[in-house]
Amino acid sequence: SFLLFLFSRRLVAWNCTINCSCNGLSSTCCHPHPALIFPITGHPNTTVLLLDSCSHFRLNRETLQNFAALENISIKRTYIAYIDSDAFHHIPNLRTLILEETNLSNTAIHHNAFHKLRITVLSLRSNRLVRIGHQTFSGLINLQHLDLSGNNIAVIEDSSFTALVNLQFLNLDNNSLNTITSLWFSGASLNNTNLKISLLANNLTCECRYRGIDLPEYAWFKRSLILPNKSCLLYNTKEECKPPKLEEFYQVIHGIALQPLDLHCPVTGFPFPKIMWILPNGLQISNRSFPPFYNIDGTLTIQLVHSSFGGLYACMATNIEGTEIGLYNLVIS
């Protein structure tokens, strides 16, 4: 009877989760029924897991704890609330990870979620990413195909792809990039001469020369790019793009009640940054005026200072290379 009990327990562990179809070593869940029970169960030797149109859930170690043998995970058209740091690290044979149309934003992914995975394919297509940081893909030395298309990526930090020494294809199509730079790569990644980078359907500018584009060690970078028009890249003789840089990040400013006051925001950068001021109450003043506040060529003019105007003012300088913020603590006497 004890052996029968153990056998029955094993059968339970191998049961296919409701609204899933377990076929050999492949499990397909949800479509057309979105409800899903966690942790998902199935054959412990399952190598392929497909989740399509599921109800929203959080990806953590427990979510897939019964699938340590997985090699391919595909999650599509499903709201993923958050990806924990240990969501995939108990799956040593994982090679392909597809997370498409899952509503993922930068704040919904732990910075170590993909760290040192042995995957060769990673797709984050059609999500809500706006920024790629230098740690986002750290340790992915086996990655060959990275698809970031269809997001809203406007900023990619320098060295963001340095760890991807075996990358063959980087898809950045249909994002919000205004500028590119070879400084996304450095170190060992400079030896990757087979890389192709697709940048179709972005908003790339010719206002300045892309940073690092003329460095001899990055000659391969120009050849790797897939662009609708390379003339701007090859023949742009303008000044090199430079991010905004403020002279000071914090100042205490003294104002006198019932007197006018100018708050200056000395900044450099190319193209020259646009200046927006944020008042202590959260009101944003760009090129519009809200009397008695006027933003004139980046200087915030207060026509007549009131005793209630004291507080923290922020100067936000933005160009295609990024944003920098300076703080001004206004003290009224």
Side-chain angles (χ1 to χ4, degrees), residues 243-253 264-268 277 312-317 323-329:
K245 185 175 182 180
L246 294 170
E247 289 185 7
E248 295 188 56
F249 292 102
Y250 180 81
Q251 296 183 56
V252 176
I253 305 294
H264 301 282
C265 186
V267 63
T268 59
W277 285 90
L312 205 59
Y313 291 71
C315 161
M316 181 181 294
T323 297
E324 192 151 277
I325 297 175
L327 299 177
Y328 298 78
N329 189 5

Side-chain angles (χ1 to χ4, degrees), residues 304-316:
L304 197 65
V305 173
H306 190 274
S307 58
S308 64
F309 289 174
L312 205 59
Y313 291 71
C315 161
M316 181 181 294

Side-chain angles (χ1 to χ4, degrees), residues 47-121:
T47 58
V48 178
L49 178 63
L50 309 174
L51 306 182
D52 190 347
S53 305
C54 300
S55 54
H56 76 279
F57 63 90
R58 181 183 182 121
L59 264 174
N60 53 36
R61 188 182 183 90
E62 288 71 34
T63 309
L64 304 175
Q65 66 182 14
N66 297 312
F67 293 102
L70 283 176
E71 298 175 8
N72 300 285
I73 298 175
S74 175
I75 305 176
K76 297 182 178 181
R77 291 171 287 275
T78 297
Y79 183 97
I80 298 178
Y82 191 77
I83 303 179
D84 285 359
S85 61
D86 58 354
F88 307 110
H89 287 81
H90 65 294
I91 310 175
N93 296 322
L94 185 61
R95 295 296 178 265
T96 299
L97 180 57
I98 309 295
L99 305 172
E100 297 178 352
E101 298 180 62
T102 56
N103 205 49
L104 282 172
S105 64
N106 289 82
T107 57
I109 304 175
H110 190 280
H111 65 272
N112 281 331
F114 307 124
H115 183 62
K116 290 189 176 180
L117 295 180
R118 298 178 182 178
I119 54 178
T120 58
V121 176

Side-chain angles (χ1 to χ4, degrees), residues 1-11:
S1 60
F2 179 69
L3 291 176
L4 182 62
F5 169 76
L6 289 179
F7 183 68
S8 64
R9 294 284 292 178
R10 192 175 183 185
L11 284 178

Side-chain angles (χ1 to χ4, degrees), residues 41 49 152 157-158 197 219 240 281 286 297 300 302-303 327:
T41 57
L49 178 63
N152 195 29
E157 295 180 5
D158 290 357
I197 306 170
E240 186 173 78
N281 62 3
S286 51
D297 296 328
L300 182 66
I302 306 176
Q303 199 171 39
L327 299 177

Side-chain angles (χ1 to χ4, degrees), residues 28-225:
T28 303
C29 301
C30 299
H31 186 72
H33 304 291
L36 195 58
I37 299 173
F38 297 99
I40 308 170
T41 57
H43 195 289
N45 292 327
T46 297
T47 58
V48 178
L49 178 63
L50 309 174
L51 306 182
D52 190 347
S53 305
C54 300
S55 54
H56 76 279
F57 63 90
R58 181 183 182 121
L59 264 174
N60 53 36
R61 188 182 183 90
E62 288 71 34
T63 309
L64 304 175
Q65 66 182 14
N66 297 312
F67 293 102
L70 283 176
E71 298 175 8
N72 300 285
I73 298 175
S74 175
I75 305 176
K76 297 182 178 181
R77 291 171 287 275
T78 297
Y79 183 97
I80 298 178
Y82 191 77
I83 303 179
D84 285 359
S85 61
D86 58 354
F88 307 110
H89 287 81
H90 65 294
I91 310 175
N93 296 322
L94 185 61
R95 295 296 178 265
T96 299
L97 180 57
I98 309 295
L99 305 172
E100 297 178 352
E101 298 180 62
T102 56
N103 205 49
L104 282 172
S105 64
N106 289 82
T107 57
I109 304 175
H110 190 280
H111 65 272
N112 281 331
F114 307 124
H115 183 62
K116 290 189 176 180
L117 295 180
R118 298 178 182 178
I119 54 178
T120 58
V121 176
L122 174 61
S123 178
L124 298 172
R125 183 176 63 83
S126 299
N127 283 292
R128 297 194 299 117
L129 302 178
V130 297
R131 185 184 190 93
I132 301 300
H134 65 278
Q135 289 186 317
T136 307
F137 304 118
S138 62
L140 297 182
I141 60 174
N142 295 320
L143 195 65
Q144 297 177 15
H145 184 108
L146 176 58
D147 191 347
L148 298 172
S149 63
N151 282 276
N152 195 29
I153 298 169
V155 176
I156 299 177
E157 295 180 5
D158 290 357
S159 302
S160 288
F161 305 125
T162 292
L164 311 183
V165 294
N166 288 301
L167 194 63
Q168 301 296 306
F169 186 69
L170 172 59
N171 190 348
L172 291 167
D173 293 348
N174 293 288
N175 276 288
S176 300
L177 291 168
N178 295 130
T179 183
I180 60 178
T181 175
S182 54
L183 302 181
W184 292 340
F185 301 85
S186 62
S189 63
L190 296 181
N191 299 319
N192 188 0
T193 57
N194 296 320
L195 176 62
K196 293 298 180 184
I197 306 170
S198 186
L199 288 152
L200 303 176
N202 278 276
N203 301 312
L204 297 178
T205 181
C206 280
E207 291 182 84
C208 54
R209 193 170 71 257
Y210 302 136
R211 289 186 303 119
I213 205 72
D214 296 324
L215 295 174
E217 62 267 36
Y218 288 104
W220 61 269
F221 183 74
K222 290 182 181 180
R223 297 192 298 268
S224 74
L225 299 176

Side-chain angles (χ1 to χ4, degrees), residues 252-263 302 305-307 310 329-333:
V252 176
I253 305 294
H254 294 274
I256 301 174
L258 303 181
Q259 295 292 320
L261 178 68
D262 287 340
L263 295 181
I302 306 176
V305 173
H306 190 274
S307 58
N329 189 5
L330 179 58
V331 179
I332 309 298
S333 58

